Amino acid sequence: MKQIAIYGKGGIGKSSTASNVAAACADEGYSVTIIGCDPKSDSSITLLGGHRIPTVMELMQQRVEITEKDVVFEGYKGVRCVEVGGPEPGIGCAGRGIIVAIKMLQKISTVMQDCDLIIYDVPGDIVCGGFAAPIRKGLVNDTYVLTSGEYMPLYAANNICKGFARLGNHLNGVICNSRNADNEEAIVSAFARELGSDLLAFIPKDPIVQTCERAGFSVIEKEPDSDIAKVYRKLARSIMERDSACDPKPLTDARLRELTG
Amino acid sequence: MSPAPKPLEPLIMHPRPSSIVAAMYTLRDLDVDVVILHGPAGCSFKHARLLEEDGLRVVTTALDESGFVFGGHDELVNILKKVIEMFNPESIGIVGTCASMIIGEELHEAVLEVNPDVPVIEVEVHAGYRENTKGVIIALESALAAGILSEEEFERQKVLLNEATEVEKRHGAASKEYLEPSRGDTKYAVAKRIIQLLKEDKKCITILNAKKETGYMFADINAAVNQVAKDLGSDSVIVNMANLDDTLGLDRVRAHARNIARDLRGMGVEVHEIIGGLDEYPVTGETVSKLIAEKYPGFDFAVITGVPHAIPMDNLEGMEIFSVTNGPRQVLPLKEMGHDHVMVEIDLHPKTLGVSNIVESEFGATLRELAREEM
Ligand SMILES: Nc1ncnc2c1ncn2[C@@H]1O[C@H](COP(=O)(O)OP(=O)(O)OP(=O)(O)O)[C@@H](O)[C@H]1O
Ligand code: SF4
Ligand SMILES: [Mg+2]
């Protein structure tokens, strides 16, 4: 079983990449689970035809007895979707929400065990202990970093790699989600190499992603014949087949500036 | 979508025992040597102090503002190392608190880093559970994982704890949205009534249904009734029932049962019916009911000590009921059940920590003194 998480700067495209990879793997016949660990609970909408599902935390807030069928929903080709949920921005403690919800899930459901691929979709920044809960509780064994070729996303990706080192996690690969920066593929490729890793995929910037998203679908479901769908498929395959991982060696800030300069 | 899930019961407003504290008492019952509270220095202070009286060492990682913000991993590692060095313990418990659990501290990471060669029981608990027995269950689960508790005993304890929770919901501290604390009836007046009944040679059942070490003081009341009857030359038939089975439960709890039974013998009190172990107070009710129906019908009054609200009223009906509790919030529910006289032994629990002999109760002392005056 592959248990993965994709990290990267906020808004860089982790959730859309995660849902497209999930859909592509489901197409190949794998059983897939996606656990949305973002309080804004936007990880699974495009796998559920645009529908929102009740989140674990919102049910806990209502003090109701929760069973598997209340929080685990089947989406595109049987992908099982869970949203942890959490408070509105600026109140409460979203990190604690992730810890509580994951504990609850482990108790009431086997979605975190019985599948070929499980993706934990976490928000941009691992702002506190709670957001690292999937990793720290040993639920994630493969981690990927998603970045564009711009300085800030690379800076964030580099920082995350420092975090991996502290949490004792490996890096299984770098993914580029293009923002049409100059020389982008070469930059991210060099970044990956210098970390000690590889560039797994170069996902072009394509308005199709947002068109599908607005309609409530993944690209894989709605535009299966598009070029970008092929890229997601290839990425999905290499995630399922890869075994290699490295202890990333973060770059210096000066080197990052040089790369992007 | 699935049908609307079933809502839980409404909230209870009065303060109740903490699950963190419950976890610590459980570790004491498991004979753990040192407990590290991972959290703020003042957390659970009163009980930490009491547990020290009972031979359990308690230390804290003393998380402060910066610990809350940056995490307390290093503090926990340091304290764990220090505890091993200073106390050379044979087993260690690490108990979480709200503060450390909210920020997502992984107790296990510190244990992995220090890698002690004695068992460490990691209890991920905070004070925010609806029932404080949750703290006990989490502690027992961790003890099971650490290999210092058998599967069989774990299952047994789980059944008892669920029953204990049910007992509290039925007639205990969890039975109402708000319960006013009360000191109960005055011991002097009630003692007088018991003496009168004994003088009239009324038939009496005493029931000790105590929770663990609290039996050291509650048993004194059952003993006092017997002693006073003798001193007064009463011809009352007195039947004593007690949950003093010393073949059940954790070693420490069995030892309490042995000690109390030994002292009762020394006081000339015969226990006629053993109704369970000292951890079985939530499940003895049925046994008592059956005994009364089958062997002891037609008694005039009953003196019930410990957890009187766990004994169903079915076969007590018709008797004058005297009950003694240590919970000021238990008075009202007991009166509502139909108990005629309810007394509270204030601050009983602290006095039963660190002892291995029966200790004198206020009500026992009152009874004895009044009886002396009568003679
Ligand atoms: N390759 C792409 N081409 C065009 N648009 C994209 C591409 N990838 C992602 N997007 C769009 O970028 C926006 C942000 O993506 P997404 O929500 O997946 O980011 P995220 O990294 O998950 O953000 P957060 O950190 O907030 O969780 C979305 O509207 C998405 O459709
Ligand atoms: S709030 Fe929780 S952590 Fe803080 S002192 Fe109270 S019980 Fe301890
Ligand atoms: Mg996202």
Side-chain angles (χ1 to χ4, degrees):
Chain A
M1 178 174 62
K2 294 271 180 190
Q3 301 167 284
I4 76 164
I6 303 171
Y7 289 96
K9 184 176 162 54
I12 196 65
K14 298 176 295 297
S15 298
S16 34
T17 306
S19 52
N20 278 297
V21 165
C25 287
D27 273 350
E28 306 252 307
Y30 291 114
S31 72
V32 182
T33 296
I34 186 159
I35 314 269
C37 298
D38 188 327
K40 64 182 177 293
S41 54
D42 63 349
S43 304
S44 58
I45 308 177
T46 56
L47 293 164
L48 292 154
H51 293 294
R52 282 189 177 273
I53 53 176
T55 71
V56 179
M57 284 319 295
E58 97 194 13
L59 292 181
M60 284 188 78
Q61 193 183 22
Q62 292 164 19
R63 304 178 166 281
V64 294
E65 214 104 56
I66 301 174
T67 59
E68 184 175 55
K69 64 182 187 337
D70 301 319
V71 291
V72 181
F73 294 84
E74 279 199 10
Y76 177 69
K77 294 218 173 150
V79 175
R80 286 176 297 180
C81 306
V82 178
E83 291 287 352
V84 158
E88 298 288 316
I91 47 170
C93 179
R96 178 69 195 163
I98 296 174
I99 298 170
V100 169
I102 283 183
K103 262 201 184 154
M104 161 71 76
L105 259 186
Q106 283 176 316
K107 214 185 262 166
I108 60 166
S109 166
T110 53
V111 280
M112 288 151 104
Q113 294 136 40
D114 300 341
C115 57
D116 302 315
L117 172 69
I118 172 160
I119 307 178
Y120 293 88
D121 184 32
V122 277
D125 299 287
I126 310 173
V127 287
C128 74
F131 290 90
I135 294 194
R136 297 179 70 183
K137 295 205 174 295
L139 298 170
V140 171
N141 29 32
D142 294 359
T143 42
Y144 296 87
V145 161
L146 184 72
T147 180
S148 70
E150 300 154 302
Y151 171 69
M152 286 313 283
L154 281 168
Y155 176 83
N158 196 49
N159 232 359
I160 288 162
C161 289
K162 289 182 189 163
F164 287 170
R166 190 170 42 252
L167 295 168
N169 249 72
H170 307 294
L171 175 63
N172 294 70
V174 176
I175 306 162
C176 180
N177 199 26
S178 171
R179 305 244 292 190
N180 287 346
D182 289 342
N183 212 11
E184 197 163 24
E185 189 163 1
I187 292 172
V188 182
S189 184
F191 171 68
R193 204 172 43 246
E194 288 177 35
L195 281 172
S197 188
D198 307 294
L199 179 61
L200 286 195
F202 179 83
I203 307 169
K205 180 173 171 155
D206 189 332
I208 283 187
V209 176
Q210 290 184 29
T211 320
C212 293
E213 183 182 81
R214 246 193 328 275
F217 299 102
S218 65
V219 175
I220 298 289
E221 181 170 6
K222 193 135 200 285
E223 299 287 348
D225 299 323
S226 59
D227 287 341
I228 191 167
K230 290 189 190 98
V231 178
Y232 284 130
R233 280 211 188 84
K234 187 166 156 271
L235 172 62
R237 234 167 272 137
S238 61
I239 285 175
M240 290 313 289
E241 283 156 19
R242 265 174 82 84
D243 278 322
S244 63
C246 74
D247 291 324
K249 290 182 294 293
L251 280 60
T252 62
D253 190 43
R255 178 64 190 137
L256 277 182
R257 283 172 200 277
E258 197 176 271
L259 262 180
T260 49
Chain B
M1 212 176 289
S2 56
K6 141 177 162 279
L8 298 173
E9 304 96 274
L11 274 176
I12 294 163
M13 284 157 71
H14 48 260
R16 277 153 296 159
S18 145
S19 344
I20 300 173
V21 169
M24 288 201 286
Y25 276 105
T26 306
L27 293 176
R28 174 212 55 185
D29 285 342
L30 290 161
D31 289 318
V32 165
D33 289 333
V34 187
V35 161
I36 302 172
L37 258 181
H38 190 32
C43 181
S44 311
F45 166 68
K46 191 175 165 198
H47 284 279
R49 197 60 271 295
L50 288 170
L51 282 161
E52 286 178 314
E53 294 302 313
D54 217 13
L56 178 74
R57 244 181 237 284
V58 183
V59 297
T60 167
T61 53
L63 289 189
D64 57 8
E65 292 281 23
S66 78
F68 300 160
V69 174
F70 295 105
H73 173 81
D74 295 347
E75 283 83 350
L76 183 53
V77 166
N78 283 341
I79 297 279
L80 187 53
K81 284 184 183 157
K82 219 171 236 167
V83 155
I84 294 168
E85 197 183 289
M86 284 172 70
F87 308 126
N88 196 23
E90 279 169 33
S91 56
I92 303 169
I94 303 179
V95 176
T97 61
C98 315
S100 57
M101 293 299 100
I102 290 169
I103 63 171
E105 289 286 296
E106 286 294 330
L107 306 179
H108 193 56
E109 283 176 10
V111 177
L112 280 180
E113 185 169 331
V114 177
N115 195 20
D117 42 22
V118 294
V120 179
I121 301 146
E122 302 156 21
V123 192
E124 291 194 4
V125 67
H126 54 68
Y129 300 103
R130 196 184 160 82
E131 279 112 19
N132 79 314
T133 44
K134 182 83 192 186
V136 181
I137 292 178
I138 299 174
L140 291 172
E141 277 168 356
S142 317
L144 182 68
I148 69 160
L149 181 69
S150 73
E151 184 83 44
E152 195 188 349
E153 183 60 26
F154 173 72
E155 289 303 327
R156 177 179 171 275
Q157 294 283 341
K158 236 170 52 181
V159 172
L160 293 176
L161 288 162
N162 284 334
E163 278 308 311
T165 303
E166 287 309 311
V167 163
E168 288 315 305
K169 280 188 198 157
R170 270 198 301 273
H171 297 297
S175 62
K176 279 209 167 43
E177 189 184 59
Y178 183 74
L179 279 168
E180 192 91 46
S182 155
R183 298 231 154 186
D185 298 320
T186 59
K187 301 197 171 71
Y188 180 81
V190 179
K192 264 190 136 155
R193 175 68 186 148
I194 289 187
I195 285 174
Q196 187 190 351
L197 289 166
L198 289 172
K199 280 174 148 177
E200 291 169 10
D201 299 334
K202 298 289 189 198
K203 291 162 84 177
C204 165
I205 298 179
T206 83
I207 304 166
L208 172 71
N209 189 43
K211 177 176 176 182
K212 302 183 182 174
E213 68 272 13
T214 65
Y216 283 119
M217 188 178 276
F218 281 122
D220 178 63
I221 296 164
N222 303 57
V225 173
N226 284 268
Q227 292 171 322
V228 163
K230 201 166 150 210
D231 294 348
L232 293 170
S234 159
D235 285 325
S236 288
V237 175
I238 301 184
V239 168
N240 298 306
M241 305 184 183
N243 63 329
L244 291 175
D245 191 330
D246 61 11
T247 64
L248 294 168
L250 302 175
D251 290 346
R252 194 182 181 96
V253 174
R254 294 180 191 207
H256 295 327
R258 263 196 307 279
N259 294 340
I260 295 169
R262 174 206 62 210
D263 283 5
L264 285 175
R265 269 196 306 280
M267 293 161 111
V269 179
E270 185 188 346
V271 176
H272 304 89
E273 303 289 352
I274 297 284
I275 54 175
L278 271 175
D279 54 7
E280 292 191 320
Y281 60 93
V283 297
T284 49
E286 227 167 282
T287 314
V288 170
S289 253
K290 234 170 107 189
L291 278 169
I292 294 176
E294 289 169 8
K295 282 176 81 175
Y296 309 107
F299 273 61
D300 301 299
F301 70 107
V303 180
I304 315 173
T305 63
V307 188
H309 55 289
I311 312 287
M313 288 301 287
D314 316 359
N315 296 326
L316 294 173
E317 230 73 72
M319 282 192 249
E320 188 167 341
I321 303 175
F322 299 79
S323 58
V324 192
T325 167
N326 61 332
R329 288 205 149 82
Q330 204 47 63
V331 175
L332 246 70
L334 283 169
K335 289 267 176 178
E336 278 180 8
M337 281 175 82
H339 291 211
D340 304 278
H341 315 274
V342 180
M343 281 149 295
V344 182
E345 283 288 340
I346 293 286
D347 275 341
L348 171 141
H349 193 207
K351 295 175 196 145
T352 60
L353 294 173
V355 304
S356 49
N357 289 94
I358 289 184
V359 285
E360 185 171 68
S361 61
E362 205 179 291
F363 187 53
T366 312
L367 266 175
R368 292 185 185 102
E369 199 177 311
L370 265 178
R372 264 197 301 279
E373 284 172 13
E374 296 277 333
M375 285 184 327

